[in-house]
Amino acid sequence: MRSAPFRLAPHHRVFGGFAIYAFGLGNMFPRLPDIKLAMGVQEGALGLGLIGTPVGTLIALTFASPLLERIGFRRALLTVIPLMAAGYAVAAWAPDPLTFFLLLVPVGLMIGSAEVILNVEADRTEHLVGFRIMNRAHSFWSIGFFGAGLFGVAIGQLGISPQLHLALVVPLTALGVAALLGGYQPSPKRAEEAEHHAPRFARPTGPILVLVAVTLSAMLMEGASLDWSAIYMRNVFDSGPFLSGFAVAIFAFCQATSRFFADSFVDRHSPSGVARVLLCVMAVGVLCTFLSDLPVLSLLGFALIGVGCSAIFPLAVSAAAQRTDRAAAINVAALAQISFITFLVGPPLLGFVAEHWGIRAAFGFGMPLIVVSLLLAGALGSRPAAEKANPAEREKAPARPVQPEPAQSQ
């Protein structure tokens, strides 16, 4: 992967990285009903198997930042995304939940490493180009996941097995990485990052823990929608592969669309104001999935959950990265590693709830956390981003335009 056929501006390169990472990650989820059926297990056992991914992710988010800085973001990113896709292809062959768990742990290590690299790179690039890109970067994650959902729907409808499907994703992901990230060069560190030595353990501070609490509802409902929406449609409405997989895709599409336009709303209003509106939308979506007796109403619920959880975590990432007490990489890793505990607890907890009280109850479980997020949303900032910008920085931004990337041979 020496070069890329596309010459992209740094922020476009970040967008491409988020998209291809999400495509490689997202193809597993439309096939979970088939994998569950092949194992012959209930929701609780499948949830225990799924916990392998967040275990690996949490380990990487906790310890990987210094190692990734030493290896270099470019080399690490070009490696971990194809390895993640290959790990999912292997995990699809698991005959039981324990094997599934063990095979998903290394996948989680790759996911956690990619999360640190891409989120820090988005923040550094945002600082370099002089305008906000964090929410749009995460919108491209959702676009990639939407593409994975549609691809999964089509493959499932053709009757192709999950094992062959996920094996096909590996070369597609590798080609996408070569095309979109072959010319990637990491953005320079912020000046304040050089003043902090990165510890091996990203310890959360008090303000970071408050940001974690703000993200919990969005993280739980995003995890629920990704892991359980296809199974929800299969269990509640006896839906086929198309409608089951479409629930994942419509969630990702609405999340992507909302993230793409979120930055302009944050610039005009405020991070906390935008977050409160989104949390209310998420609450309506949760109620739709909890009370629905019609497939179309449930799909509307997943769409609203996608809108509602779209920008909560990206806003918290920006708030963490902009703190000056420690390096951005450390604050982002501290936020992400604790927030991902929701993913660690979420799959088995929601699987247990679904198995004993029905899968509708698994989605209703998010309502109390939405209330907590609403109460603490002020930690994201109460002033519009345009007002908070440093005038001197904004004046200097045109003087440091994005330089075209040098042409490279294939």
Side-chain angles (χ1 to χ4, degrees):
M1 293 184 210
R2 294 175 49 208
S3 63
F6 304 118
R7 295 180 58 197
L8 301 175
H11 59 295
H12 293 154
R13 191 79 69 194
V14 171
F15 297 160
F18 272 92
I20 192 61
Y21 157 55
F23 180 83
L25 185 154
N27 274 273
M28 167 69 79
F29 297 95
R31 306 313 304 267
L32 282 177
D34 298 311
I35 292 172
K36 171 178 172 289
L37 183 64
M39 290 185 191
V41 298
Q42 298 300 313
E43 287 82 359
L46 180 65
L48 289 172
L50 288 170
I51 201 175
T53 303
V55 165
T57 302
L58 185 61
I59 293 170
L61 291 171
T62 303
F63 299 107
S65 288
L67 179 61
L68 293 172
E69 293 278 8
R70 264 199 313 275
I71 294 172
F73 277 7
R74 171 183 164 79
R75 184 184 303 172
L77 191 60
L78 295 181
T79 302
V80 300
I81 294 178
L83 284 178
M84 175 196 65
Y88 271 132
V90 173
W93 291 92
D96 55 68
L98 177 59
T99 307
F100 198 45
F101 169 90
L102 295 173
L103 292 174
L104 288 179
V105 170
V107 175
L109 293 173
M110 301 302 105
I111 290 173
S113 300
E115 286 283 339
V116 170
I117 296 169
L118 289 170
N119 280 295
V120 172
E121 186 64 23
D123 176 71
R124 291 175 179 174
T125 303
E126 195 172 74
H127 184 69
L128 175 71
V129 300
F131 52 85
R132 296 174 64 89
I133 69 166
M134 184 64 76
N135 279 307
R136 273 184 296 160
H138 282 259
S139 81
F140 277 88
W141 185 95
S142 299
I143 289 169
F145 210 100
F146 173 64
L150 289 184
F151 186 67
V153 165
I155 293 292
Q157 194 68 20
L158 290 173
I160 295 174
S161 71
Q163 292 77 18
L164 178 56
H165 168 195
L166 293 172
L168 291 172
V169 171
V170 178
L172 291 176
T173 301
L175 287 172
V177 168
L180 297 172
L181 296 176
Y184 159 64
Q185 294 297 330
S187 296
K189 295 182 179 181
R190 289 180 180 237
E192 57 267 25
E193 288 188 68
E195 301 172 4
H196 300 277
H197 177 70
R200 289 186 61 82
F201 179 78
R203 177 182 54 84
T205 60
I208 294 297
L209 288 175
V210 173
L211 292 174
V212 167
V214 174
T215 68
L216 287 182
S217 60
M219 297 290 280
L220 180 68
M221 296 319 301
E222 181 174 352
S225 299
L226 297 178
D227 288 359
W228 299 110
S229 59
I231 294 174
Y232 170 100
M233 297 300 293
R234 182 75 61 91
N235 286 8
V236 174
F237 302 110
D238 197 25
S239 302
F242 178 83
L243 204 58
S244 298
F246 188 69
V248 179
I250 196 170
F251 165 83
F253 174 78
C254 292
Q255 187 183 57
T257 304
S258 302
R259 281 177 170 171
F260 190 83
F261 294 105
D263 284 322
S264 61
F265 284 98
V266 175
D267 284 338
R268 291 199 302 271
H269 303 288
S270 70
S272 60
V274 170
R276 289 188 180 105
V277 172
L278 292 176
L279 288 165
C280 290
V281 172
M282 193 196 319
V284 175
V286 168
L287 289 175
C288 285
T289 59
F290 183 64
L291 301 173
S292 169
D293 285 327
L294 297 172
V296 67
L297 186 57
S298 294
L299 291 175
L300 174 62
F302 292 125
L304 293 175
I305 292 172
V307 172
C309 71
S310 59
I312 305 299
F313 186 71
L315 287 172
V317 167
S318 288
Q322 290 164 20
R323 294 189 58 81
T324 58
D325 55 339
R326 299 186 297 183
I330 304 304
N331 278 330
V332 168
L335 169 70
Q337 73 191 21
I338 304 301
S339 295
F340 267 80
I341 291 176
T342 306
F343 279 131
L344 181 64
V345 176
L349 179 60
L350 295 181
F352 178 83
V353 171
E355 189 169 332
H356 290 81
W357 292 284
I359 200 163
R360 295 178 188 274
F363 285 89
F365 197 78
M367 285 300 296
L369 290 178
I370 293 176
V371 174
V372 172
S373 297
L374 279 167
L375 293 174
L376 297 176
L380 298 173
S382 58
R383 294 171 56 198
E387 291 181 14
K388 293 193 293 183
N390 185 332
E393 286 278 328
R394 294 178 71 84
E395 288 174 9
K396 286 192 289 184
R400 50 185 180 109
V402 176
Q403 298 295 323
E405 298 178 47
Q408 299 177 346
S409 60
Q410 180 64 37

Coordinates of all heavy atoms in Angstrom, one line a residue, residues 220-265:
L220 N -25.2 3.0 24.5 CA -26.1 1.9 24.7 C -27.0 1.7 23.5 O -27.2 0.5 23.0 CB -26.8 2.0 26.0 CG -27.7 0.8 26.3 CD1 -26.9 -0.5 26.6 CD2 -28.7 1.1 27.5
M221 N -27.7 2.7 23.1 CA -28.7 2.6 22.1 C -28.1 2.3 20.7 O -28.7 1.7 19.9 CB -29.7 3.8 22.0 CG -30.5 4.0 23.3 SD -31.2 2.4 24.0 CE -32.1 1.8 22.7
E222 N -26.9 2.9 20.5 CA -26.2 2.6 19.2 C -25.8 1.1 19.2 O -26.0 0.4 18.2 CB -25.0 3.5 19.1 CG -24.2 3.2 17.8 CD -23.1 4.2 17.6 OE1 -22.9 5.1 18.4 OE2 -22.3 3.9 16.7
G223 N -25.3 0.6 20.4 CA -24.9 -0.8 20.4 C -26.1 -1.7 20.3 O -26.1 -2.7 19.6
A224 N -27.3 -1.3 20.9 CA -28.5 -2.1 20.8 C -29.0 -2.2 19.4 O -29.4 -3.2 18.9 CB -29.6 -1.5 21.8
S225 N -28.9 -1.0 18.7 CA -29.4 -1.0 17.3 C -28.5 -1.8 16.4 O -29.0 -2.5 15.5 CB -29.5 0.5 16.9 OG -30.5 1.2 17.7
L226 N -27.2 -1.7 16.6 CA -26.3 -2.5 15.7 C -26.4 -4.0 16.0 O -26.5 -4.8 15.1 CB -24.9 -2.0 16.0 CG -24.6 -0.5 15.6 CD1 -23.2 -0.1 15.9 CD2 -24.9 -0.2 14.1
D227 N -26.4 -4.3 17.3 CA -26.3 -5.7 17.7 C -27.7 -6.5 17.5 O -27.7 -7.6 17.2 CB -25.8 -5.9 19.1 CG -24.3 -5.6 19.2 OD1 -23.7 -5.3 18.2 OD2 -23.8 -5.7 20.4
W228 N -28.8 -5.7 17.9 CA -30.0 -6.4 18.1 C -31.2 -6.0 17.2 O -32.2 -6.7 17.2 CB -30.5 -6.2 19.5 CG -29.5 -6.7 20.5 CD1 -28.7 -6.0 21.4 CD2 -29.3 -8.1 20.8 NE1 -28.0 -6.9 22.2 CE2 -28.3 -8.2 21.9 CE3 -29.8 -9.3 20.3 CZ2 -27.8 -9.3 22.4 CZ3 -29.3 -10.5 20.8 CH2 -28.3 -10.5 21.8
S229 N -31.0 -5.0 16.3 CA -32.1 -4.6 15.5 C -32.5 -5.6 14.5 O -33.7 -5.9 14.3 CB -31.8 -3.2 14.8 OG -30.6 -3.4 13.9
A230 N -31.6 -6.3 13.9 CA -31.9 -7.4 12.9 C -32.6 -8.5 13.6 O -33.6 -9.1 13.1 CB -30.7 -7.9 12.2
I231 N -32.1 -8.9 14.8 CA -32.8 -9.9 15.6 C -34.1 -9.5 16.1 O -35.1 -10.3 16.1 CB -31.8 -10.4 16.7 CG1 -30.6 -11.0 16.2 CG2 -32.5 -11.3 17.7 CD1 -29.5 -11.3 17.2
Y232 N -34.3 -8.2 16.5 CA -35.6 -7.7 16.9 C -36.6 -7.9 15.7 O -37.7 -8.4 16.0 CB -35.4 -6.2 17.2 CG -36.7 -5.4 17.4 CD1 -37.1 -5.1 18.6 CD2 -37.4 -4.9 16.3 CE1 -38.3 -4.3 18.8 CE2 -38.6 -4.2 16.4 CZ -39.0 -3.9 17.7 OH -40.2 -3.2 17.9
M233 N -36.2 -7.5 14.5 CA -37.2 -7.7 13.4 C -37.5 -9.1 13.1 O -38.6 -9.5 12.8 CB -36.6 -7.0 12.1 CG -36.4 -5.5 12.3 SD -37.9 -4.5 12.6 CE -38.8 -4.8 11.1
R234 N -36.5 -10.0 13.3 CA -36.7 -11.4 13.1 C -37.6 -12.0 14.2 O -38.6 -12.8 13.9 CB -35.4 -12.2 13.1 CG -35.4 -13.7 12.8 CD -35.7 -14.0 11.3 NE -34.6 -13.5 10.5 CZ -33.6 -14.2 10.1 NH1 -33.4 -15.4 10.6 NH2 -32.7 -13.7 9.3
N235 N -37.4 -11.6 15.4 CA -38.2 -12.2 16.5 C -39.6 -11.6 16.6 O -40.5 -12.4 16.8 CB -37.5 -11.9 17.9 CG -36.2 -12.8 18.1 OD1 -35.8 -13.5 17.1 ND2 -35.6 -12.7 19.2
V236 N -39.7 -10.3 16.5 CA -41.0 -9.7 16.7 C -41.9 -9.8 15.5 O -43.1 -10.1 15.7 CB -40.8 -8.2 17.0 CG1 -42.2 -7.4 17.1 CG2 -40.0 -8.0 18.3
F237 N -41.4 -9.7 14.3 CA -42.3 -9.7 13.1 C -42.0 -10.9 12.2 O -42.6 -11.0 11.1 CB -42.1 -8.4 12.3 CG -42.4 -7.2 13.2 CD1 -41.4 -6.3 13.6 CD2 -43.7 -6.9 13.6 CE1 -41.7 -5.2 14.3 CE2 -44.1 -5.8 14.3 CZ -43.0 -4.9 14.7
D238 N -41.1 -11.8 12.6 CA -40.7 -12.9 11.7 C -40.3 -12.5 10.4 O -40.6 -13.1 9.3 CB -41.9 -13.9 11.6 CG -41.5 -15.3 11.1 OD1 -40.3 -15.6 11.3 OD2 -42.3 -16.0 10.5
S239 N -39.5 -11.4 10.3 CA -39.0 -10.8 9.1 C -38.0 -11.6 8.4 O -37.2 -12.3 9.1 CB -38.5 -9.4 9.3 OG -39.4 -8.6 9.9
G240 N -37.9 -11.5 7.1 CA -36.8 -12.2 6.4 C -35.5 -11.5 6.4 O -35.4 -10.4 7.0
P241 N -34.5 -12.0 5.6 CA -33.2 -11.3 5.6 C -33.2 -9.9 5.2 O -32.5 -9.0 5.7 CB -32.4 -12.2 4.6 CG -33.1 -13.5 4.6 CD -34.5 -13.2 4.8
F242 N -34.1 -9.5 4.2 CA -34.1 -8.2 3.7 C -34.5 -7.2 4.8 O -33.8 -6.2 5.1 CB -35.0 -8.1 2.5 CG -35.1 -6.7 1.9 CD1 -34.2 -6.2 1.1 CD2 -36.2 -5.8 2.3 CE1 -34.2 -4.9 0.6 CE2 -36.2 -4.5 1.8 CZ -35.3 -4.0 1.0
L243 N -35.7 -7.4 5.4 CA -36.2 -6.4 6.3 C -35.4 -6.4 7.6 O -35.2 -5.4 8.2 CB -37.7 -6.8 6.7 CG -38.5 -5.6 7.2 CD1 -38.6 -4.5 6.2 CD2 -40.0 -6.1 7.5
S244 N -34.9 -7.6 8.0 CA -34.0 -7.6 9.2 C -32.7 -6.8 9.0 O -32.3 -6.0 9.8 CB -33.7 -9.1 9.5 OG -34.8 -9.8 9.9
G245 N -32.1 -7.0 7.9 CA -30.9 -6.3 7.6 C -31.2 -4.8 7.3 O -30.3 -3.9 7.6
F246 N -32.3 -4.5 6.8 CA -32.7 -3.1 6.5 C -32.8 -2.3 7.8 O -32.6 -1.1 7.8 CB -34.0 -3.0 5.7 CG -34.3 -1.7 5.2 CD1 -33.5 -1.1 4.1 CD2 -35.4 -0.9 5.7 CE1 -33.8 0.2 3.7 CE2 -35.7 0.3 5.2 CZ -34.9 0.9 4.2
A247 N -33.2 -2.9 8.9 CA -33.3 -2.2 10.1 C -31.9 -1.7 10.5 O -31.8 -0.5 11.0 CB -33.8 -3.1 11.2
V248 N -30.8 -2.4 10.3 CA -29.5 -2.0 10.6 C -29.1 -0.8 9.6 O -28.5 0.2 10.0 CB -28.5 -3.1 10.4 CG1 -27.0 -2.6 10.7 CG2 -28.8 -4.3 11.4
A249 N -29.5 -1.0 8.3 CA -29.1 0.0 7.3 C -29.8 1.3 7.6 O -29.2 2.4 7.4 CB -29.4 -0.5 5.9
I250 N -31.1 1.3 7.9 CA -31.8 2.6 8.1 C -31.3 3.3 9.3 O -31.2 4.6 9.4 CB -33.3 2.4 8.1 CG1 -34.0 3.7 7.9 CG2 -33.8 1.7 9.4 CD1 -35.5 3.6 7.7
F251 N -30.9 2.6 10.4 CA -30.3 3.2 11.5 C -29.1 3.9 11.1 O -28.8 5.1 11.4 CB -30.0 2.1 12.6 CG -29.1 2.6 13.7 CD1 -29.6 3.4 14.7 CD2 -27.7 2.4 13.6 CE1 -28.7 3.8 15.7 CE2 -26.8 2.8 14.5 CZ -27.3 3.6 15.6
A252 N -28.2 3.2 10.4 CA -26.9 3.8 10.0 C -27.1 5.0 9.0 O -26.4 6.0 9.1 CB -26.0 2.8 9.3
F253 N -28.1 4.9 8.1 CA -28.3 6.0 7.2 C -28.8 7.3 7.9 O -28.2 8.4 7.6 CB -29.4 5.6 6.1 CG -29.8 6.7 5.2 CD1 -29.0 7.0 4.1 CD2 -31.0 7.4 5.4 CE1 -29.4 8.1 3.3 CE2 -31.3 8.4 4.6 CZ -30.5 8.8 3.5
C254 N -29.7 7.1 8.8 CA -30.2 8.3 9.5 C -29.1 8.9 10.4 O -29.0 10.1 10.6 CB -31.4 8.0 10.3 SG -32.8 7.6 9.3
Q255 N -28.3 8.0 11.0 CA -27.2 8.5 11.8 C -26.2 9.2 11.0 O -25.7 10.3 11.4 CB -26.5 7.3 12.5 CG -25.4 7.6 13.5 CD -24.7 6.4 14.0 OE1 -24.2 5.6 13.3 NE2 -24.8 6.2 15.4
A256 N -25.9 8.7 9.8 CA -24.9 9.4 8.9 C -25.4 10.8 8.4 O -24.7 11.7 8.5 CB -24.7 8.5 7.6
T257 N -26.7 10.8 8.0 CA -27.2 12.1 7.6 C -27.2 13.1 8.7 O -26.8 14.3 8.4 CB -28.7 11.9 7.1 OG1 -28.7 10.9 6.1 CG2 -29.3 13.2 6.5
S258 N -27.6 12.8 9.9 CA -27.6 13.7 11.0 C -26.2 14.2 11.3 O -25.9 15.4 11.6 CB -28.2 13.1 12.2 OG -29.6 12.7 11.9
R259 N -25.2 13.2 11.3 CA -23.9 13.6 11.7 C -23.3 14.6 10.6 O -22.5 15.5 10.9 CB -23.0 12.4 11.8 CG -23.1 11.6 13.1 CD -22.3 10.4 13.1 NE -22.3 9.8 14.5 CZ -21.8 8.6 14.8 NH1 -21.3 7.8 13.9 NH2 -21.8 8.2 16.1
F260 N -23.7 14.4 9.4 CA -23.1 15.2 8.3 C -23.5 16.7 8.5 O -22.7 17.6 8.2 CB -23.6 14.7 6.9 CG -22.9 15.3 5.8 CD1 -21.6 14.8 5.4 CD2 -23.4 16.4 5.1 CE1 -21.0 15.4 4.3 CE2 -22.7 17.0 4.1 CZ -21.5 16.5 3.6
F261 N -24.7 16.9 9.0 CA -25.1 18.3 9.1 C -25.0 18.9 10.5 O -25.3 20.0 10.8 CB -26.6 18.4 8.6 CG -26.8 18.2 7.2 CD1 -27.3 17.0 6.7 CD2 -26.4 19.1 6.2 CE1 -27.5 16.7 5.4 CE2 -26.6 18.9 4.9 CZ -27.1 17.7 4.4
A262 N -24.5 18.0 11.4 CA -24.5 18.4 12.9 C -23.6 19.6 13.1 O -23.9 20.5 13.9 CB -24.2 17.2 13.8
D263 N -22.4 19.6 12.4 CA -21.4 20.7 12.7 C -22.0 22.1 12.5 O -21.7 23.0 13.3 CB -20.2 20.5 11.9 CG -19.3 19.3 12.4 OD1 -19.2 19.2 13.6 OD2 -18.7 18.6 11.5
S264 N -22.8 22.3 11.5 CA -23.3 23.6 11.2 C -24.3 24.0 12.3 O -24.4 25.2 12.7 CB -24.0 23.6 9.8 OG -25.1 22.7 9.8
F265 N -25.1 23.1 12.8 CA -26.0 23.4 13.9 C -25.2 23.7 15.2 O -25.6 24.6 15.9 CB -26.9 22.2 14.2 CG -28.0 22.1 13.2 CD1 -27.9 21.2 12.1 CD2 -29.2 22.9 13.2 CE1 -28.9 21.1 11.2 CE2 -30.2 22.8 12.3 CZ -30.0 21.9 11.2

